[in-house]
């Protein structure tokens, strides 16, 4: 008698278990908020550099749009990064504001540079006005002589008048006793003070800190060193508003036998220097 063996079944390998998503749920879509944050940070940093205002504006606008779109996803329950999205939108708005400020600063700087170049190329002219404004109409100096020509040295009390309305007046020198610890005074030489008045009759404020003075003494034109002590030597500071004037006193060291003191005043690097020939 033969017995038949029961059929053998091979066991199938188990498939890995893949959990199914709950019905109606989707993974959070947080990409817009993250992109808004990244672009907002880059845009805000770029906005701190005025020349990169264009980059800050572009990135800021994109970040703001992405941030607002991300907030819409959060409200619809499609995203979970409300804080990141809001912060990205705020940074985008900040980048836009910085881009506007940077554009204003850049265009103003370019405009000022162009004006300075135009002045430098055209050359700012200065004319001599002897004895101040009261004698300008007569065109004569205090002694009744002809007014100095444009390229001639002025004398004490004369004013150099510039096209932009700036007037520089240098008064006659006066003897000065330098302090014990004065800098720039040589023993045996004489010291003199010179009062300089700058009046702004133009329409824009004038930076007086850019004014520089040089002096030469005698017929040989030796350098007359400027004297600094506790009483004198500070020079001009601050700005001069339209319609206002500013006064400063300078002291110079000259050889004892010098009969003249030539003072040259440069209002700034865009205006021509003017000279005064002062009798000692």
């Amino acid at each position: 008698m033969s017995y038949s063996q029961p059929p053998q079944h091979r066991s199938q390998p188990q498939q890995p278990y893949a959990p199914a998503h709950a019905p109606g749920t989707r993974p959070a879509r947080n990409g817009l908020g993250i992109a808004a944050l990244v672009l907002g940070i880059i845009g805000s940093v770029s906005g701190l550099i005025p020349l990169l205002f264009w980059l800050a504006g572009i990135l800021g606008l994109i970040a703001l749009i992405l941030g607002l779109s991300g907030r819409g996803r959060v409200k619809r329950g499609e995203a979970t990064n409300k804080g990141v999205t809001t912060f990205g939108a705020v940074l985008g708005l900040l980048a836009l504001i910085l881009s506007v400020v940077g554009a204003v600063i850049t265009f103003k700087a370019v405009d000022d540079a162009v004006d300075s170049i135009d002045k430098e190329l055209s050359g700012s002219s200065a004319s001599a006005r002897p004895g101040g404004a009261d004698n300008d109409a007569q065109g004569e100096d205090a002694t009744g002589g002809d007014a100095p020509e444009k390229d001639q040295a002025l004398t004490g009390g004369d004013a150099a008048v510039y096209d932009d309305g700036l007037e520089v007046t240098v008064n006659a020198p006066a003897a000065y006793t330098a302090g014990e610890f004065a800098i720039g005074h040589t023993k045996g030489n004489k010291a003199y003070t010179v009062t300089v008045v700058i009046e702004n009759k133009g329409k824009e404020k004038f930076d007086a800190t850019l004014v520089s003075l040089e002096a030469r003494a005698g017929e040989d034109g030796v350098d007359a060193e400027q004297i600094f002590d506790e009483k004198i030597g500070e020079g001009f500071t601050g700005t001069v508003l339209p319609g206002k004037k500013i006064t400063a006193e300078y002291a110079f060291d000259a050889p004892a036998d010098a009969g003249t003191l030539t003072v040259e005043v440069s209002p700034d690097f865009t205006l021509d220097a003017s000279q005064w020939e002062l009798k000692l």
Side-chain angles (χ1 to χ4, degrees), residues 25-148:
T25 61
R26 295 180 181 179
R29 301 170 63 190
N30 295 332
L32 291 181
I34 296 174
L37 179 63
V38 173
L39 295 180
I41 293 175
I42 299 175
S44 299
V45 174
S46 301
L48 297 177
I49 305 174
L51 289 177
L52 296 180
F53 69 90
W54 55 273
L55 180 60
I58 295 174
L59 297 181
L61 179 61
I62 297 175
L64 181 60
I65 294 174
L66 294 179
L68 294 178
S69 299
R71 284 181 58 84
R73 284 187 177 181
V74 172
K75 291 181 179 179
R76 294 192 300 270
E78 299 176 0
T80 59
N81 57 345
K82 180 179 179 180
V84 172
T85 303
T86 303
F87 193 45
V90 171
L91 288 179
L93 181 60
L94 176 61
L96 284 176
I97 296 174
L98 291 176
S99 70
V100 174
V101 175
V104 172
I105 294 175
T106 301
F107 292 143
K108 182 66 169 59
V110 171
D111 186 58
D112 292 343
V114 171
D115 289 343
S116 298
I117 293 174
D118 289 341
K119 287 182 179 179
E120 191 70 23
L121 294 177
S122 61
S124 297
S125 61
S127 58
R129 175 173 292 175
D134 294 339
N135 294 330
D136 183 53
Q138 289 83 357
E140 298 181 350
D141 60 17
T143 61
D146 294 336

Side-chain angles (χ1 to χ4, degrees), residues 3-276:
Y3 296 93
S4 61
Q5 295 181 348
Q8 296 180 354
H9 298 282
R10 294 183 179 181
S11 60
Q12 298 294 329
Q14 288 187 341
Q15 297 295 328
Y17 173 75
H21 292 290
T25 61
R26 295 180 181 179
R29 301 170 63 190
N30 295 332
L32 291 181
I34 296 174
L37 179 63
V38 173
L39 295 180
I41 293 175
I42 299 175
S44 299
V45 174
S46 301
L48 297 177
I49 305 174
L51 289 177
L52 296 180
F53 69 90
W54 55 273
L55 180 60
I58 295 174
L59 297 181
L61 179 61
I62 297 175
L64 181 60
I65 294 174
L66 294 179
L68 294 178
S69 299
R71 284 181 58 84
R73 284 187 177 181
V74 172
K75 291 181 179 179
R76 294 192 300 270
E78 299 176 0
T80 59
N81 57 345
K82 180 179 179 180
V84 172
T85 303
T86 303
F87 193 45
V90 171
L91 288 179
L93 181 60
L94 176 61
L96 284 176
I97 296 174
L98 291 176
S99 70
V100 174
V101 175
V104 172
I105 294 175
T106 301
F107 292 143
K108 182 66 169 59
V110 171
D111 186 58
D112 292 343
V114 171
D115 289 343
S116 298
I117 293 174
D118 289 341
K119 287 182 179 179
E120 191 70 23
L121 294 177
S122 61
S124 297
S125 61
S127 58
R129 175 173 292 175
D134 294 339
N135 294 330
D136 183 53
Q138 289 83 357
E140 298 181 350
D141 60 17
T143 61
D146 294 336
E149 297 295 334
K150 174 181 174 181
D151 294 329
Q152 289 182 346
L154 308 175
T155 59
D158 289 347
V161 183
Y162 291 85
D163 291 341
D164 59 359
L166 195 71
E167 291 190 9
V168 181
T169 304
V170 176
N171 294 322
Y176 177 70
T177 302
E180 182 180 358
F181 302 102
I183 299 174
H185 179 57
T186 302
K187 187 176 181 180
N189 287 356
K190 292 184 178 180
Y192 298 91
T193 58
V194 173
T195 302
V196 181
V197 181
I198 296 179
E199 186 172 4
N200 185 5
K201 294 185 177 180
K203 297 180 180 180
E204 298 181 359
K205 65 180 180 180
F206 173 72
D207 187 358
T209 58
L210 300 177
V211 177
S212 63
L213 268 74
E214 295 181 358
R216 298 181 295 276
E219 295 181 356
D220 295 334
V222 297
D223 288 339
E225 192 171 355
Q226 186 176 346
I227 298 173
F228 299 88
D229 61 16
E230 68 277 3
K231 296 179 292 183
I232 204 167
E234 181 180 1
F236 288 105
T237 58
T239 58
V240 187
L241 296 176
K244 302 295 182 179
K245 63 175 62 177
I246 189 171
T247 303
E249 194 173 27
Y250 295 80
F252 295 99
D253 185 69
D257 59 350
T260 59
L261 183 68
T262 302
V263 177
E264 181 173 295
V265 181
S266 298
D268 61 29
F269 63 90
T270 65
L271 299 176
D272 296 334
S274 299
Q275 287 188 0
W276 283 258

